[in-house]
Amino acid sequence: MNYRLFKDTAIAEVGLGTWQLGSADWGNVDDNSAMSILQTYVDAGGNFIDTADVYGMGVSEKLIGKFLKTIDKEVFVSTKIGRRGDHENGWPQNFSYDAMKKQTQDSLKHLGLPQLFLQQLHCIPTEEMRSGKVFDHLRSLQDEGLIKHFGASVETNEEALLCLEQKGLASLQMIFNLFRQHVADEVFAKAAEKVVALIIRVPLASGLLSGKFDDNTTFSSRDQRNFNANGEQFNAGETFSGIEFKQGVKLSKTIKNMLPDERMSQWSIRWILDHPEVTTVIPGASKVSHVQSNVEASAMEPLSDHMHEELRKLYNTEIIDQIRGHF
């Protein structure tokens, strides 16, 4: 595993996303499997785990907290707040200081930690970011010692650029993959200039970039790739990166034929890591084998400049116009 700097901390360039461990939006992952996934990741040298309070409404955080008690290695945990609907006014009006503090304290309790390494806004409304009050609240939580760093998970370039104007912002979490390449054009250089870490989510486009799906692939009723395939429940861009499924299958086959060998998942992650502005990529995993595959990308040689040029040409001519949802 290779590491990159998040401020003054060396974190694994391949992190672990744990939406799947919430057993709410990807089908069920039992506790034993979840613990094995976490252990496999740490054994591979991983030390950066990303979660959120709404991943199973605390299930993912609690599993991570349980796991942390079983190891003596330092692991840096980031979580996210802002999408819970159980406060007085519910989503999307739960951005008062008191609500954000309560959400943060709940996450600390679930994780069994005295301080969060990173607290992030979880794709909240653009107008809330623009007002700036939520960032003042995060600074207050930082002053109180509840969080070490704060950042924001965003849906659009506009939101990313708004956040980059905020003093003290440590990180941006964004969708960036072979089906969402243009993000780098406007945001990456400014993030690097401001020394803001880039955390890359949805790196495999909800599995499309694994190359394992075909037109007949189906998903369970509890899997967001079923109930949000066209943005029915939340931003379409979070599922298959906004690409219509059958079109995504077709495009993924084209990409697979361009890559150096059959390791499509690993090369898709390697492509992201070839961008030096990226701090870490956080693929999810519902099986131990997924973790093993994902971390392999860290040891692979970078793709050639020619390959990057050809993949961008394909994106410009055949992919970008297919994206749905906010971006």
Side-chain angles (χ1 to χ4, degrees):
M1 179 70 76
N2 292 312
Y3 302 84
R4 302 187 183 191
L5 282 179
F6 185 112
K7 297 301 185 183
D8 59 353
T9 301
I11 67 169
E13 65 180 9
V14 178
L16 178 65
T18 59
W19 189 4
Q20 284 90 335
L21 303 192
S23 292
D25 299 312
W26 294 82
N28 185 64
V29 177
D30 64 73
D31 288 7
N32 288 336
S33 295
M35 297 295 277
S36 294
I37 287 167
L38 292 162
Q39 188 66 58
T40 300
Y41 173 68
V42 171
D43 287 346
N47 70 351
F48 184 77
I49 297 174
D50 181 80
T51 186
D53 59 1
V54 292
Y55 293 169
M57 289 304 293
V59 171
S60 177
E61 289 182 330
K62 289 174 183 176
L63 281 168
I64 294 166
K66 180 180 178 182
F67 171 73
L68 293 177
K69 293 177 181 178
T70 70
I71 60 173
D72 57 7
K73 297 180 180 179
E74 188 170 28
V75 173
F76 304 100
V77 179
S78 65
T79 191
K80 299 181 283 291
I81 55 173
R83 298 196 68 86
R84 273 169 53 176
D86 59 339
H87 294 287
E88 181 179 354
N89 295 313
W91 167 264
Q93 288 82 35
N94 55 352
F95 306 116
S96 68
Y97 168 73
D98 288 341
M100 290 175 64
K101 183 173 183 178
K102 175 63 164 57
Q103 293 164 26
T104 298
Q105 289 173 324
D106 288 347
S107 290
L108 286 168
K109 181 179 179 181
H110 295 161
L111 292 163
L113 295 172
Q115 182 186 59
L116 293 175
F117 176 72
L118 174 65
Q119 180 63 288
Q120 304 162 97
L121 301 172
H122 196 176
C123 299
I124 69 172
T126 307
E127 57 268 25
E128 296 292 340
M129 297 182 191
R130 186 176 288 112
S131 78
K133 292 180 181 179
V134 286
F135 295 101
D136 291 336
H137 301 335
L138 288 169
R139 293 185 192 99
S140 294
L141 295 175
Q142 190 177 47
D143 290 342
E144 293 178 42
L146 296 176
I147 63 177
K148 183 174 183 180
H149 301 294
F150 66 85
S153 181
V154 299
E155 299 281 11
T156 68
N157 281 8
E158 176 192 7
E159 292 171 352
L161 295 172
L162 281 172
C163 292
L164 284 170
E165 297 303 318
Q166 289 293 330
K167 182 178 180 180
L169 185 83
S171 65
L172 276 175
Q173 186 174 138
M174 305 186 71
I175 299 173
F176 179 61
N177 57 46
L178 286 163
F179 285 157
R180 191 70 71 90
Q181 298 185 33
H182 70 279
V183 172
D185 301 344
E186 192 173 6
V187 176
F188 279 26
K190 189 165 186 177
E193 175 188 340
K194 292 181 173 288
V195 196
V196 171
L198 289 174
I199 301 170
I200 304 305
R201 71 178 188 275
V202 200
L204 298 178
S206 308
L208 272 177
L209 290 169
S210 70
K212 297 178 181 179
F213 299 161
D214 59 35
D215 288 351
N216 298 315
T217 300
T218 59
F219 305 98
S220 76
S221 60
R222 295 182 61 197
D223 192 315
Q224 55 97 13
R225 292 172 293 184
N226 178 11
F227 64 75
N228 195 60
N230 299 301
E232 295 92 336
Q233 299 296 320
F234 43 84
N235 180 23
E238 297 289 345
T239 307
F240 304 129
S241 289
I243 305 293
E244 190 274 327
F245 180 69
K246 290 188 177 181
Q247 184 66 20
V249 168
K250 178 182 177 182
L251 290 166
S252 70
K253 289 179 180 177
T254 301
I255 292 172
K256 187 173 185 177
N257 290 333
M258 296 171 64
L259 295 171
D261 56 46
E262 293 296 308
R263 296 175 294 172
M264 187 174 186
S265 294
Q266 295 94 322
W267 284 121
S268 295
I269 294 173
R270 182 66 253 175
W271 177 87
I272 296 169
L273 295 175
D274 287 350
H275 295 77
E277 302 91 346
V278 168
T279 305
T280 186
V281 57
I282 51 169
S286 56
K287 298 178 181 178
V288 164
S289 60
H290 296 164
V291 179
Q292 295 167 332
S293 170
N294 295 337
V295 299
E296 185 181 330
S298 181
M300 294 169 70
E301 291 294 319
L303 289 160
S304 68
D305 290 343
H306 175 71
M307 179 63 68
H308 276 274
E309 291 169 2
E310 290 301 304
L311 289 167
R312 183 56 190 259
K313 186 183 301 182
L314 175 71
Y315 179 75
N316 290 342
T317 57
E318 298 188 36
I319 298 176
I320 189 169
D321 289 340
Q322 304 290 332
I323 300 174
R324 303 169 301 173
H326 310 306
F327 69 97

